[in-house]
Amino acid sequence: MTAPARGRRPGDSGTREAILEAAREQFGETGYRGTTMRSVAAAAGVDPRLVTHYFGSKQALFRASVAFPVEAEERVQAAFDAMQLEDDPGRRTATIMVSLLEDHEVRGVMIGLIRAASSEPEAADLIREVLTESKLPLLAASVGGERSELRAAFVASQLVGLLMARYIVGIGPLAEASPEQLVSALTPVLDHYVRGDWIEGSST
């Protein structure tokens, strides 16, 4: 009888995604500290050595699990690009922002991120590091103008606040609002943060 081949099986391209899916669910439900490489492997139905093979450490696994899918990254970039347009940047950005939050996969990633960051300092440090290195600088560059980093941070606060109030806490009227209503409500707020003169008097 021929012995089974060791190592990575050919054609097993879905293994990494299965691990990531299990990791997102566990990080979201049990937090960073309560999630282990072994528990993720068990949930994904794979050998724990494969988790180490693909990601190396729990920190690296967490970083990968809070990254957006490729399609979502493209939509995030579209939102950044929309902010540079003079033709109603607030509405363009609000439309893309709401469409991202209404996407089950993207929302799952973000809910896991927010829950982990709000409950565990170690996870919060990792998330802050990821955002500081990637998303916020791109957002600030897209916002442009005076105090672009502060403006970008306020735009991000709208995204986080909406995610928490609508999808995690589930505040009644907000949870029941249609995507069109959300876009209409967010548009003037984002316009104010991106183009408003509320920073008057602050240093550059």
Side-chain angles (χ1 to χ4, degrees):
M1 183 175 179
T2 304
R6 293 183 177 274
R8 188 175 170 186
R9 294 190 300 271
D12 200 15
S13 59
T15 300
R16 188 177 188 277
E17 283 307 312
I19 293 170
L20 278 177
E21 184 177 349
R24 290 183 185 115
E25 183 175 344
Q26 290 204 11
F27 282 127
E29 291 182 356
T30 64
Y32 182 82
R33 190 169 302 170
T35 300
T36 66
M37 302 279 271
R38 186 171 294 277
S39 68
V40 170
V46 302
D47 189 302
R49 289 173 294 185
L50 277 176
V51 182
T52 303
H53 168 75
Y54 283 113
F55 300 99
S57 67
K58 189 167 91 168
Q59 284 190 352
L61 176 61
F62 182 76
R63 281 172 168 268
S65 74
V66 299
F68 289 131
V70 174
E71 181 183 350
E73 284 285 1
E74 293 173 351
R75 288 155 67 191
V76 169
Q77 186 58 55
F80 292 167
D81 294 342
M83 291 180 185
Q84 302 181 52
L85 303 175
E86 293 298 332
D87 181 18
D88 208 359
R91 177 164 293 277
R92 290 173 182 267
T93 304
T95 299
I96 296 169
M97 181 184 293
V98 170
S99 73
L100 283 170
L101 292 181
E102 289 292 296
D103 182 288
H104 177 75
E105 184 178 10
V106 175
R107 187 169 69 247
V109 172
M110 297 189 68
I111 286 176
L113 184 153
I114 296 301
R115 283 178 172 163
S118 62
S119 62
E120 298 175 71
E122 188 175 2
D125 288 343
L126 285 171
I127 292 167
R128 185 162 48 248
E129 184 180 331
V130 170
L131 291 177
T132 301
E133 290 176 355
S134 57
K135 296 296 181 291
L136 281 180
L138 290 174
L139 181 55
S142 298
V143 168
E146 182 184 11
R147 299 299 299 275
S148 60
E149 291 185 0
L150 181 58
R151 291 179 185 272
F154 272 103
V155 171
S157 75
Q158 290 299 301
L159 181 65
V160 173
L162 180 60
L163 181 71
M164 178 68 76
R166 177 175 169 88
Y167 302 101
I168 297 178
V169 177
I171 296 176
L174 187 57
E176 296 166 4
S178 69
E180 293 75 20
Q181 289 174 317
L182 296 178
V183 170
S184 295
L186 284 170
T187 293
V189 178
L190 296 179
D191 273 330
H192 176 65
Y193 286 151
V194 174
R195 297 286 181 262
D197 59 3
W198 53 275
I199 302 184
E200 181 179 358
S202 60
S203 60
T204 56

